[in-house]
Amino acid sequence: MPSRSKVSAALPSIPWLMLPTLVFIVVAFGWPLLYLLRMSFNEHPAGGIYVEAWSLRNYLVVLTEPNMLAVIGRTIYISLVTAVVTVVAAFFFAQYVWLREGSNKLMLLAIAIAPMLISEVSVIIGWRMFFPSNGLLSYTLISTGLSDQKVNLLGTQIAAVVGLSYISISYCFFSILSVLNGIDRNLLTASADLGASPLRTFFTVLLPLSKGGIAAAFTQAFVFTMGIYATTNALGPDSLWTMPYEIQLQMLTRRNWPMAAAISVVLIAIIATTALVTQWLRHRKASSHA
């Protein structure tokens, strides 16, 4: 019978086992990103799509033109608002589920999974039936006496934020719940036994222990919102032009592929910077408390 050392020597090492995955990542993601970066330096001729060149003109337009800066600012603003709203809603829902037991918890988990099973197109159609003046929201408000006239929220930033939050809330919910499941509930009981109020227990015990999940959920919601244009365009006002919408406009309508590529590179840079800053702040706070 061969010894264990000989068997271990015959097995491939971990780096070699990761090689197929690394090759797939490079081919599926790395090469398209490099092509996108190369395209952003090309020029857009009149009546054409692009000509090969090495020019920074597209980046100068994106980073200096007032209209483009307004689009970037609008995209970051709506993404930040959506991320905050989504994380707050996901956190309290996750906390509620975390404190439940038995079949009720399973039912709540099924409800949390539901948005993952619905396509973005279906989400848009559903909310477009909910928000208009003849929609379910307006009918409910009038039927319950909360309003004496029809309410139309379709085409507002509120509708856009709600639709965007619905798309990413499930991912944020499970990110936060996974952290809450690692917290000992006896800590909450001990805090109450020592005389702390529920509000103080929340801010001094539960919230600090769940910061990792909150940071991950915020990053997820922000990244999802930054890359979505269909929901924003269908539910929000016509003035709510975001970077993804500008990319498809440059790509499909104006046929300016270099400009679309430059906007895409800037969008990726903003997303990557936000993720890195969030993780840096998270690890910095963790090291300071260590």
Side-chain angles (χ1 to χ4, degrees):
M1 182 177 181
S3 62
R4 183 177 297 179
S5 60
K6 292 182 178 180
V7 173
S8 300
L11 293 175
S13 59
I14 293 179
W16 285 108
L17 293 175
M18 295 176 59
L19 184 60
T21 303
L22 293 176
V23 171
F24 173 78
I25 292 176
V26 170
V27 173
F29 298 99
W31 177 251
L33 285 175
L34 290 176
Y35 185 79
L36 180 71
L37 182 63
R38 175 64 185 91
M39 177 63 68
S40 66
F41 292 105
N42 291 331
E43 294 281 355
H44 178 238
I49 298 178
Y50 73 92
V51 291
E52 291 189 358
W54 288 97
S55 173
L56 295 175
R57 178 180 176 278
N58 297 317
Y59 288 101
L60 292 176
V61 172
V62 173
L63 299 176
T64 60
E65 187 176 295
N67 291 335
M68 284 295 182
L69 292 177
V71 170
I72 295 174
R74 201 175 298 119
T75 305
I76 295 176
Y77 167 76
I78 197 70
S79 299
L80 287 175
V81 172
T82 301
V84 171
V85 171
T86 306
V87 168
V88 171
F91 181 87
F92 286 109
F93 186 34
Q95 181 187 4
Y96 182 79
V97 174
W98 176 55
L99 296 175
R100 301 279 80 78
E101 296 290 348
S103 59
N104 291 333
K105 186 172 184 177
L106 293 177
M107 182 183 66
L108 292 172
L109 289 174
I111 294 175
I113 295 175
M116 294 182 174
L117 308 178
I118 304 175
S119 67
E120 185 180 358
V121 175
S122 300
V123 170
I124 292 173
I125 294 174
W127 287 116
R128 286 184 67 89
M129 297 174 62
F130 182 80
F131 282 122
S133 57
N134 60 344
L136 179 61
L137 176 62
S138 181
Y139 174 79
T140 302
L141 292 176
I142 294 177
S143 300
T144 56
L146 297 176
S147 176
D148 56 354
Q149 56 184 356
K150 294 183 177 181
V151 177
N152 181 24
L153 292 180
L154 187 64
T156 64
Q157 290 191 12
I158 295 177
V161 169
V162 171
L164 293 170
S165 297
Y166 186 85
I167 292 175
S168 58
I169 192 170
S170 293
Y171 301 93
C172 297
F173 166 83
F174 285 106
S175 295
I176 296 173
L177 183 62
S178 64
V179 175
L180 292 178
N181 286 333
I183 299 176
D184 188 355
R185 297 185 189 177
N186 292 326
L187 294 175
L188 306 182
T189 305
S191 177
D193 292 341
L194 292 173
S197 64
L199 190 62
R200 185 174 182 182
T201 299
F202 174 80
F203 282 106
T204 60
V205 179
L206 184 60
L207 194 61
L209 292 175
S210 55
K211 282 183 178 179
I214 294 174
F218 177 85
T219 304
Q220 286 180 321
F222 184 84
V223 169
F224 283 4
T225 306
M226 287 287 290
I228 294 176
Y229 85 90
T231 301
T232 308
N233 187 39
L235 300 179
D238 294 337
S239 60
L240 191 60
W241 276 31
T242 58
M243 295 178 72
Y245 181 79
E246 185 67 27
I247 290 171
Q248 68 86 25
L249 182 66
Q250 295 286 346
M251 191 81 179
L252 302 179
T253 304
R254 300 175 181 173
R255 303 187 67 183
N256 189 346
W257 289 14
M259 182 61 68
I263 300 173
S264 300
V265 171
V266 173
L267 176 62
I268 294 172
I270 295 174
I271 292 174
T273 302
T274 303
L276 290 174
V277 170
T278 303
Q279 292 302 314
W280 177 74
L281 292 174
R282 175 185 171 186
H283 290 297
R284 182 184 179 186
K285 291 182 179 179
S287 61
S288 63
H289 291 290

